[in-house]
Amino acid sequence: MKLDFHVAATVVFSVACQASLILPRQASSAGDAGAILGALEARALPNAPNGYTPQGGNCPSTRPELRSADGLSPQETSWLETRRSVTLPAMKQLLNRLNISGFDASTYFSDNMGNTSMLPNIAVAVSGGGYRACLNGAGAIQAFDSREDNSTAAGHLGGLLQSATYLAGLSGGGWLVGSIFVNNYTTISGLLYNNNASSVWEFQNSIFQGPATGGLQVLDSTEYYDTIYNEVQGKTVHFDTSITDYWGRALSFQLVNATDGGPGYTWSSTASQDFFTSGQSPMPILVTDGRAPGELLISGNTTVYEFNPWEFGTFDPTTYGFVPLEFLGSNFSGGVLPPNDQCVRGFDNVGYIMGTSSSLFNSFLLEINSTSIPSAFKTVLTHLLTSIGENNDDIAAYTPNPFLGFHNTTSLVAQSPSLTLVDGGEDLQNIPLHPLIQPARAVDVIFAIDSSADTTYNWPNGTALVATYERALNASGIANGTAFPSIPDQNSFVNLGLNARPTFFGCNASNFTSGGPPPPLVVYVPNAPYVYYSNVSTFDPSYNASERDAIVANGAAVASRANATTDPAWPACVACAVLARSWERTSFPVPSACADCFRTYCWDGELNITRPAEYEPTLRLEAVDVQSAAGRGRGHGVWAALGTLVVGWVGWGVV
């Protein structure tokens, strides 16, 4: 996530705890695997052999090994066929309902079923930005999900999620993606309300305070920290640990519907879940950046890694390889395991993966003595902060380095015993576009949900898109053949209002002359105030239920343009964006309704690089009512504080 500097002193502890400092291994007891409670069905798979502590054991008959990033994995290639059989009917139904005047989606699909690669391939990317990004992104996903009540009514976009092949997140957006998938690919309503049981997303209790007693959890704050401490200590017997271990465990208490945050739940278990193997969900991807200690990241020098259900790795030429995720933590060397080495399982704890994608960079020092956390926990964190300089306080330790001795002549990490990873937005690419613009994935359109805090008052200004565009042009070759649409500068974003409403980038594929396939069309959906000032600080650590629901409601309004009440043509324009690349491949004439949409929503190349005035947007619609939230989002010149209890607009009933 990108860092904003408008933070209250009371959250200094929260900032530093999200950092990641390497702790040398030491002996202690192991944690236990968690059992599942609550109204939701069994979630993910608690398949780690020893709770949070990774453990060696027998290898499969075909010993795991690394592969070069020459294309997609066999597992992804096979799964794509299954998912495609699900997305195409859903997409046809969606496009018929979105109703492009003069276009028959059923006929178009029937005419191209002999070569389904001609038909659209959709992805959704959710930016970083702490709870702001998690909740605003949740609103967009709620608007796109046909399982939500009333989501397929006229003017609504339900079914877009069912039509998507990929769903990527980083940092706060990664919390959203991770929480959906570890909880059995549940709906946003399921996370918020959990069938009237204790909700999964109980954000009114700060992550630094611990969960409320009752419901899923039965811990007070002291027990909460003791539990986290003991679980991480078990890992230190054989592995380096870092503050990311503690941060990831704390995240799990808020995001995973299991006792103690599910210490035995792994990211790779997604690949074994029925909802995924049957192609009923998109493929989840989380993004993190590689950073050596002391290195300053920019988009032009950063290796961008991904976690998908089967693998961890990167297409970037700096590493150019993938390791089987289930066996992360095994002692790979030169891409293989030594003959007598065991296969380690359980390293890819789901909280640790989400924590790695959301570790914050060096900005604040930990004010240990001002907090009320247990003394043992203070001692560990104090040791971490004093043993390593503040410039390295964001690093998550992946030791042993799975890429040790792999691609020795080209890899930047081949000689390092430890791979160090940081927050996926540290290189300013705060929208996880990197996995989705890889030519091997052949994505046609990306819905990019941007909750970045680029401006003084925590609104986006296109910085994430600019960073990805600049990386694609970098002469170093770091982009490795990926292309990206032209993007204007940040001043133009604000001056032209491109950060105030959805904008399409890359509308005309004929503008790309690189010789390869054109990049995806990007539907940029920036956070904006429709029914609530959702520009809360990245570092606000707690939200009451009405604030939480209001940010989700606002996110749904942003993505759906208030269910087409601010632009009745928006649903059809979304359909036009989905079909644009497909029409180009099939030489299908663009319907006049879509030509109108493209004139309205496509960036036309105009620039206005003058320095804009301070960006302080006002609400587009009548505000939802929430319990007092003084000091939260900032509106037109004052901090927004809206009164009483949430009523009415929680997802669908737009005024």
Side-chain angles (χ1 to χ4, degrees), residues 416-433:
S416 175
S418 180
L419 181 68
T420 48
L421 303 175
V422 296
D423 188 295
E426 279 207 24
D427 62 349
L428 300 183
Q429 295 187 91
N430 201 39
I431 305 174
L433 298 164

Side-chain angles (χ1 to χ4, degrees), residues 107-122:
T107 299
Y108 183 76
F109 271 58
S110 296
D111 290 346
N112 289 283
M113 287 304 291
N115 182 2
T116 58
S117 65
M118 292 295 189
L119 296 172
N121 190 17
I122 302 171

